[in-house]
Each structure stands twice: as C-alpha cells, then as structure tokens.
Amino acid sequence: MAKRDPYSAEQHSVRVLKVGERVRHILSELLARQEVHDDIVSAANIAVTEVRMTPDLRNATAYVKPLLGADEDDVVQALRQNTAYLQREVAKRLGLKFAPKLKFRKDESFEEADRIEALLRDPKVARDLGEEDEAG
C-alpha cells in the first residue's frame, strides 16, 4: 500500500523553503558565535547566503561567502572538514526526524551579478535598451 503524503505539492515546497531557511539561520548563528573550533573558520566572518534543501529534506547545500571575499577556498575547505560537528548541531536544533546531510559550496551569485551588471553597462547593450525605451 502506498504511503500518502499529508502535504500538497505547494505546502511541500513551502516546507522545503522554511526548513532551508531554518538551517541557514542555525548555521549563521553557529558561525557568528564562533562555535566551530577551527582557526580558519573562527578568523573569517562567514555569511551563509542560502541553503537549498532537497525535497525529501535529507540533503542541504549551504552557500557561503566570507565577508570581504578573503580565502574563499580555504574557508569552504575548513567548513567541509567540520561538517560532522555542524550536522550534529543542526540536527539538535532543527528537531526533524532526519538530520540533513550538509554540503558547503562557495556562493558565486555575487560574481554572476557583477558579470550581468557589466554586460548591461556595455555601450552596445545600452544603445539597444535606449532605443527600446524610446519606442515603448
């Protein structure tokens, strides 16, 4: 007999977003309070910009950005080395049946936004946008 999911598709996606945001807050709090006993992590001010959860809430990818962008690769590597501790703390504070498995990645959205901004400032693009604005 198939197991019924008590949530509709919309409720399920909202729940995934809410849990992801809770995980982001927990990780941010752990890092801000310097509860991770690692020299690299303690020395860096790390922002957890986003946490993406899988629909089954078993996996979480945390996107991190050290403030001032210093030593991103070293910070991500240090977080990966401390994943077991962070997962344990998230599991304690989250209170779900299963604790999500954490993965850490550097957040490249800021670089992507800068690249798009540079494209929009390109004279050829500005010219095309200007003609469209006048016609519209």
Side-chain angles (χ1 to χ4, degrees), residues 59-104:
N59 297 296
T61 303
Y63 293 89
V64 296
K65 182 85 171 166
L67 300 180
L68 306 176
D71 305 323
E72 284 187 44
D73 293 328
D74 294 338
V75 168
V76 171
Q77 186 61 35
L79 287 170
R80 287 177 180 162
Q81 290 172 349
N82 290 284
T83 298
Y85 169 76
L86 291 166
Q87 280 181 189
R88 224 176 12 259
E89 289 301 310
V90 167
K92 271 194 247 179
R93 298 171 191 211
L94 200 56
L96 291 177
K97 185 175 180 180
F98 298 102
K101 182 177 178 193
L102 296 175
K103 292 182 198 167
F104 292 95

Short mmCIF file of all heavy atoms in Angstrom, two decimals, residues 59-104:
data_model
loop_
_atom_site.label_atom_id
_atom_site.label_comp_id
_atom_site.label_asym_id
_atom_site.label_seq_id
_atom_site.Cartn_x
_atom_site.Cartn_y
_atom_site.Cartn_z
N ASN A 59 19.11 16.26 2.35
CA ASN A 59 20.36 16.90 1.95
C ASN A 59 20.18 18.41 1.90
O ASN A 59 19.14 18.90 1.46
CB ASN A 59 20.82 16.40 0.58
CG ASN A 59 21.13 14.93 0.58
OD1 ASN A 59 22.04 14.48 1.26
ND2 ASN A 59 20.35 14.15 -0.15
N ALA A 60 21.22 19.11 2.33
CA ALA A 60 21.20 20.57 2.31
C ALA A 60 22.52 21.06 1.75
O ALA A 60 23.58 20.61 2.17
CB ALA A 60 21.00 21.11 3.72
N THR A 61 22.44 21.97 0.79
CA THR A 61 23.64 22.61 0.26
C THR A 61 23.65 24.04 0.77
O THR A 61 22.74 24.81 0.49
CB THR A 61 23.63 22.60 -1.28
OG1 THR A 61 23.52 21.24 -1.73
CG2 THR A 61 24.90 23.21 -1.83
N ALA A 62 24.69 24.36 1.53
CA ALA A 62 24.83 25.70 2.11
C ALA A 62 25.82 26.49 1.26
O ALA A 62 26.94 26.05 1.03
CB ALA A 62 25.33 25.60 3.55
N TYR A 63 25.36 27.65 0.80
CA TYR A 63 26.22 28.54 0.02
C TYR A 63 26.77 29.59 0.96
O TYR A 63 26.01 30.27 1.65
CB TYR A 63 25.43 29.17 -1.12
CG TYR A 63 25.03 28.14 -2.15
CD1 TYR A 63 23.84 27.44 -2.05
CD2 TYR A 63 25.89 27.83 -3.20
CE1 TYR A 63 23.50 26.47 -2.96
CE2 TYR A 63 25.54 26.87 -4.14
CZ TYR A 63 24.36 26.19 -4.01
OH TYR A 63 24.03 25.22 -4.92
N VAL A 64 28.10 29.67 1.02
CA VAL A 64 28.76 30.56 1.98
C VAL A 64 29.66 31.55 1.26
O VAL A 64 30.15 31.29 0.16
CB VAL A 64 29.59 29.75 3.01
CG1 VAL A 64 28.68 28.87 3.86
CG2 VAL A 64 30.65 28.91 2.34
N LYS A 65 29.83 32.67 1.92
CA LYS A 65 30.68 33.74 1.38
C LYS A 65 31.41 34.39 2.55
O LYS A 65 30.76 34.98 3.41
CB LYS A 65 29.81 34.77 0.65
CG LYS A 65 30.58 35.90 0.02
CD LYS A 65 31.04 35.49 -1.33
CE LYS A 65 31.62 36.67 -2.09
NZ LYS A 65 32.35 36.24 -3.24
N PRO A 66 32.74 34.27 2.60
CA PRO A 66 33.46 35.01 3.63
C PRO A 66 33.35 36.50 3.33
O PRO A 66 33.48 36.91 2.18
CB PRO A 66 34.89 34.53 3.51
CG PRO A 66 34.91 33.45 2.51
CD PRO A 66 33.60 33.44 1.80
N LEU A 67 33.07 37.29 4.35
CA LEU A 67 32.99 38.73 4.14
C LEU A 67 34.34 39.22 3.66
O LEU A 67 35.38 38.74 4.08
CB LEU A 67 32.54 39.43 5.41
CG LEU A 67 31.17 38.98 5.92
CD1 LEU A 67 30.81 39.73 7.19
CD2 LEU A 67 30.10 39.20 4.88
N LEU A 68 34.32 40.18 2.77
CA LEU A 68 35.50 40.70 2.08
C LEU A 68 36.08 39.69 1.10
O LEU A 68 37.12 39.92 0.52
CB LEU A 68 36.57 41.17 3.07
CG LEU A 68 36.11 42.19 4.12
CD1 LEU A 68 37.23 42.48 5.10
CD2 LEU A 68 35.62 43.46 3.47
N GLY A 69 35.42 38.54 0.92
CA GLY A 69 35.82 37.57 -0.08
C GLY A 69 37.19 36.95 0.11
O GLY A 69 37.77 36.41 -0.82
N ALA A 70 37.73 37.01 1.33
CA ALA A 70 39.09 36.53 1.57
C ALA A 70 39.13 35.01 1.72
O ALA A 70 38.33 34.43 2.43
CB ALA A 70 39.65 37.19 2.82
N ASP A 71 40.08 34.39 1.03
CA ASP A 71 40.37 32.96 1.18
C ASP A 71 39.13 32.07 1.10
O ASP A 71 38.92 31.19 1.93
CB ASP A 71 41.09 32.69 2.51
CG ASP A 71 42.35 33.52 2.66
OD1 ASP A 71 43.04 33.72 1.64
OD2 ASP A 71 42.63 33.97 3.78
N GLU A 72 38.32 32.28 0.09
CA GLU A 72 37.07 31.52 -0.05
C GLU A 72 37.30 30.02 -0.07
O GLU A 72 36.61 29.27 0.61
CB GLU A 72 36.32 31.93 -1.32
CG GLU A 72 35.62 33.24 -1.22
CD GLU A 72 34.76 33.52 -2.44
OE1 GLU A 72 34.05 32.60 -2.90
OE2 GLU A 72 34.78 34.66 -2.90
N ASP A 73 38.28 29.58 -0.85
CA ASP A 73 38.53 28.15 -0.97
C ASP A 73 38.96 27.54 0.36
O ASP A 73 38.52 26.45 0.71
CB ASP A 73 39.59 27.88 -2.05
CG ASP A 73 39.09 28.25 -3.44
OD1 ASP A 73 37.87 28.11 -3.69
OD2 ASP A 73 39.90 28.69 -4.27
N ASP A 74 39.81 28.25 1.11
CA ASP A 74 40.26 27.75 2.41
C ASP A 74 39.10 27.67 3.39
O ASP A 74 39.00 26.72 4.16
CB ASP A 74 41.36 28.66 2.99
CG ASP A 74 42.63 28.62 2.16
OD1 ASP A 74 42.83 27.65 1.41
OD2 ASP A 74 43.42 29.58 2.26
N VAL A 75 38.23 28.67 3.37
CA VAL A 75 37.07 28.69 4.29
C VAL A 75 36.13 27.54 3.97
O VAL A 75 35.67 26.83 4.88
CB VAL A 75 36.35 30.05 4.22
CG1 VAL A 75 35.01 29.99 4.92
CG2 VAL A 75 37.22 31.15 4.83
N VAL A 76 35.82 27.33 2.69
CA VAL A 76 34.92 26.24 2.31
C VAL A 76 35.54 24.90 2.69
O VAL A 76 34.85 24.02 3.22
CB VAL A 76 34.59 26.30 0.80
CG1 VAL A 76 33.84 25.06 0.36
CG2 VAL A 76 33.77 27.55 0.49
N GLN A 77 36.83 24.76 2.48
CA GLN A 77 37.52 23.51 2.85
C GLN A 77 37.46 23.29 4.36
O GLN A 77 37.20 22.18 4.83
CB GLN A 77 38.98 23.53 2.37
CG GLN A 77 39.71 22.24 2.60
CD GLN A 77 39.08 21.06 1.87
OE1 GLN A 77 38.55 21.20 0.76
NE2 GLN A 77 39.11 19.90 2.48
N ALA A 78 37.65 24.34 5.14
CA ALA A 78 37.59 24.24 6.61
C ALA A 78 36.18 23.86 7.05
O ALA A 78 36.01 23.05 7.97
CB ALA A 78 38.02 25.55 7.25
N LEU A 79 35.15 24.44 6.42
CA LEU A 79 33.77 24.07 6.75
C LEU A 79 33.50 22.61 6.41
O LEU A 79 32.83 21.91 7.18
CB LEU A 79 32.79 24.98 6.02
CG LEU A 79 32.70 26.42 6.54
CD1 LEU A 79 31.88 27.28 5.59
CD2 LEU A 79 32.10 26.46 7.94
N ARG A 80 34.04 22.15 5.29
CA ARG A 80 33.85 20.75 4.91
C ARG A 80 34.51 19.82 5.93
O ARG A 80 34.00 18.75 6.21
CB ARG A 80 34.40 20.51 3.51
CG ARG A 80 33.53 21.11 2.44
CD ARG A 80 34.11 20.94 1.06
NE ARG A 80 33.23 21.54 0.05
CZ ARG A 80 33.62 21.84 -1.17
NH1 ARG A 80 34.87 21.61 -1.57
NH2 ARG A 80 32.76 22.40 -2.02
N GLN A 81 35.64 20.24 6.48
CA GLN A 81 36.32 19.42 7.48
C GLN A 81 35.55 19.38 8.80
O GLN A 81 35.71 18.45 9.58
CB GLN A 81 37.74 19.94 7.72
CG GLN A 81 38.66 19.70 6.55
CD GLN A 81 40.01 20.38 6.70
OE1 GLN A 81 40.21 21.20 7.59
NE2 GLN A 81 40.93 20.04 5.81
N ASN A 82 34.73 20.38 9.05
CA ASN A 82 33.94 20.45 10.27
C ASN A 82 32.48 20.11 10.05
O ASN A 82 31.62 20.44 10.88
CB ASN A 82 34.06 21.86 10.88
CG ASN A 82 35.44 22.10 11.44
OD1 ASN A 82 35.77 21.60 12.50
ND2 ASN A 82 36.25 22.85 10.71
N THR A 83 32.18 19.45 8.95
CA THR A 83 30.80 19.13 8.59
C THR A 83 30.12 18.26 9.65
O THR A 83 28.96 18.48 9.98
CB THR A 83 30.74 18.43 7.22
OG1 THR A 83 31.25 19.33 6.23
CG2 THR A 83 29.33 18.05 6.83
N ALA A 84 30.82 17.28 10.20
CA ALA A 84 30.21 16.38 11.18
C ALA A 84 29.71 17.16 12.39
O ALA A 84 28.58 16.95 12.85
CB ALA A 84 31.20 15.30 11.61
N TYR A 85 30.53 18.06 12.90
CA TYR A 85 30.12 18.88 14.05
C TYR A 85 28.91 19.74 13.69
O TYR A 85 27.93 19.80 14.44
CB TYR A 85 31.27 19.75 14.53
CG TYR A 85 30.84 20.79 15.54
CD1 TYR A 85 30.57 20.44 16.85
CD2 TYR A 85 30.65 22.12 15.16
CE1 TYR A 85 30.16 21.38 17.77
CE2 TYR A 85 30.23 23.07 16.06
CZ TYR A 85 29.98 22.69 17.37
OH TYR A 85 29.55 23.63 18.27
N LEU A 86 28.97 20.40 12.53
CA LEU A 86 27.88 21.28 12.12
C LEU A 86 26.58 20.50 11.91
O LEU A 86 25.51 20.95 12.29
CB LEU A 86 28.28 22.06 10.86
CG LEU A 86 29.37 23.10 11.09
CD1 LEU A 86 29.95 23.57 9.77
CD2 LEU A 86 28.83 24.27 11.89
N GLN A 87 26.67 19.31 11.31
CA GLN A 87 25.48 18.48 11.11
C GLN A 87 24.86 18.09 12.45
O GLN A 87 23.64 18.11 12.61
CB GLN A 87 25.83 17.22 10.32
CG GLN A 87 25.94 17.43 8.85
CD GLN A 87 26.26 16.17 8.08
OE1 GLN A 87 26.52 16.29 6.92
NE2 GLN A 87 26.28 14.99 8.65
N ARG A 88 25.71 17.73 13.40
CA ARG A 88 25.22 17.35 14.73
C ARG A 88 24.48 18.51 15.39
O ARG A 88 23.39 18.34 15.94
CB ARG A 88 26.42 16.92 15.59
CG ARG A 88 26.20 15.69 16.38
CD ARG A 88 27.39 15.18 17.18
NE ARG A 88 28.55 16.02 17.33
CZ ARG A 88 29.68 15.90 16.62
NH1 ARG A 88 29.79 14.98 15.68
NH2 ARG A 88 30.70 16.71 16.85
N GLU A 89 25.06 19.70 15.31
CA GLU A 89 24.44 20.88 15.92
C GLU A 89 23.14 21.25 15.22
O GLU A 89 22.15 21.60 15.86
CB GLU A 89 25.41 22.06 15.91
CG GLU A 89 26.56 21.91 16.88
CD GLU A 89 26.10 21.75 18.32
OE1 GLU A 89 25.28 22.58 18.78
OE2 GLU A 89 26.55 20.80 18.98
N VAL A 90 23.12 21.18 13.90
CA VAL A 90 21.90 21.47 13.14
C VAL A 90 20.82 20.46 13.51
O VAL A 90 19.67 20.82 13.72
CB VAL A 90 22.18 21.48 11.61
CG1 VAL A 90 20.88 21.47 10.82
CG2 VAL A 90 23.02 22.69 11.23
N ALA A 91 21.19 19.19 13.61
CA ALA A 91 20.22 18.14 13.96
C ALA A 91 19.60 18.41 15.33
O ALA A 91 18.39 18.28 15.50
CB ALA A 91 20.90 16.78 13.94
N LYS A 92 20.43 18.79 16.31
CA LYS A 92 19.92 19.07 17.66
C LYS A 92 18.93 20.21 17.65
O LYS A 92 17.88 20.15 18.29
CB LYS A 92 21.09 19.48 18.58
CG LYS A 92 21.77 18.34 19.29
CD LYS A 92 22.64 18.91 20.38
CE LYS A 92 24.08 18.67 20.07
NZ LYS A 92 25.00 19.21 21.08
N ARG A 93 19.25 21.26 16.92
CA ARG A 93 18.44 22.48 16.96
C ARG A 93 17.24 22.45 16.01
O ARG A 93 16.30 23.20 16.19
CB ARG A 93 19.33 23.69 16.63
CG ARG A 93 20.42 23.86 17.67
CD ARG A 93 21.42 24.89 17.26
NE ARG A 93 22.57 24.85 18.15
CZ ARG A 93 23.30 25.89 18.45
NH1 ARG A 93 23.02 27.07 17.94
NH2 ARG A 93 24.34 25.77 19.25
N LEU A 94 17.30 21.60 15.00
CA LEU A 94 16.24 21.57 14.00
C LEU A 94 15.04 20.75 14.45
O LEU A 94 13.90 21.12 14.20
CB LEU A 94 16.81 21.04 12.68
CG LEU A 94 16.06 21.33 11.41
CD1 LEU A 94 15.86 22.82 11.22
CD2 LEU A 94 16.81 20.76 10.21
N GLY A 95 15.30 19.63 15.09
CA GLY A 95 14.22 18.81 15.62
C GLY A 95 13.41 18.05 14.58
O GLY A 95 12.23 17.81 14.78
N LEU A 96 14.02 17.66 13.48
CA LEU A 96 13.34 16.83 12.47
C LEU A 96 13.66 15.35 12.72
O LEU A 96 14.60 15.01 13.45
CB LEU A 96 13.81 17.21 11.07
CG LEU A 96 13.38 18.57 10.54
CD1 LEU A 96 13.99 18.81 9.16
CD2 LEU A 96 11.87 18.67 10.45
N LYS A 97 12.89 14.49 12.09
CA LYS A 97 13.13 13.05 12.23
C LYS A 97 14.51 12.68 11.70
O LYS A 97 15.23 11.88 12.30
CB LYS A 97 12.04 12.29 11.47
CG LYS A 97 12.11 10.81 11.63
CD LYS A 97 10.94 10.14 10.95
CE LYS A 97 11.00 8.64 11.11
NZ LYS A 97 9.87 7.98 10.46
N PHE A 98 14.88 13.27 10.57
CA PHE A 98 16.18 13.02 9.97
C PHE A 98 16.95 14.33 9.88
O PHE A 98 16.38 15.35 9.49
CB PHE A 98 16.05 12.44 8.55
CG PHE A 98 15.34 11.13 8.51
CD1 PHE A 98 14.01 11.04 8.12
CD2 PHE A 98 15.99 9.96 8.87
CE1 PHE A 98 13.34 9.83 8.08
CE2 PHE A 98 15.34 8.74 8.83
CZ PHE A 98 14.02 8.68 8.44
N ALA A 99 18.21 14.28 10.22
CA ALA A 99 19.05 15.47 10.09
C ALA A 99 19.55 15.55 8.65
O ALA A 99 19.98 14.54 8.09
CB ALA A 99 20.23 15.40 11.04
N PRO A 100 19.51 16.73 8.05
CA PRO A 100 20.00 16.83 6.67
C PRO A 100 21.52 16.67 6.62
O PRO A 100 22.24 17.10 7.52
CB PRO A 100 19.58 18.23 6.24
CG PRO A 100 19.38 18.99 7.51
CD PRO A 100 18.99 18.00 8.54
N LYS A 101 21.97 16.04 5.56
CA LYS A 101 23.40 15.93 5.31
C LYS A 101 23.85 17.25 4.67
O LYS A 101 23.27 17.68 3.67
CB LYS A 101 23.68 14.76 4.37
CG LYS A 101 25.13 14.54 4.10
CD LYS A 101 25.37 13.34 3.22
CE LYS A 101 26.86 13.23 2.96
NZ LYS A 101 27.15 12.29 1.90
N LEU A 102 24.85 17.89 5.25
CA LEU A 102 25.29 19.20 4.79
C LEU A 102 26.40 19.11 3.76
O LEU A 102 27.29 18.27 3.87
CB LEU A 102 25.79 20.04 5.97
CG LEU A 102 24.78 20.41 7.04
CD1 LEU A 102 25.48 21.13 8.19
CD2 LEU A 102 23.69 21.28 6.46
N LYS A 103 26.31 19.99 2.78
CA LYS A 103 27.39 20.21 1.81
C LYS A 103 27.64 21.71 1.79
O LYS A 103 26.70 22.50 1.89
CB LYS A 103 26.99 19.78 0.41
CG LYS A 103 26.81 18.31 0.23
CD LYS A 103 26.45 18.02 -1.21
CE LYS A 103 25.85 16.64 -1.32
NZ LYS A 103 25.22 16.43 -2.62
N PHE A 104 28.89 22.10 1.65
CA PHE A 104 29.23 23.52 1.60
C PHE A 104 29.81 23.86 0.23
O PHE A 104 30.64 23.14 -0.30
CB PHE A 104 30.24 23.88 2.70
CG PHE A 104 29.65 23.77 4.07
CD1 PHE A 104 29.80 22.62 4.82
CD2 PHE A 104 28.92 24.82 4.60
CE1 PHE A 104 29.24 22.51 6.08
CE2 PHE A 104 28.35 24.72 5.85
CZ PHE A 104 28.51 23.57 6.59
#
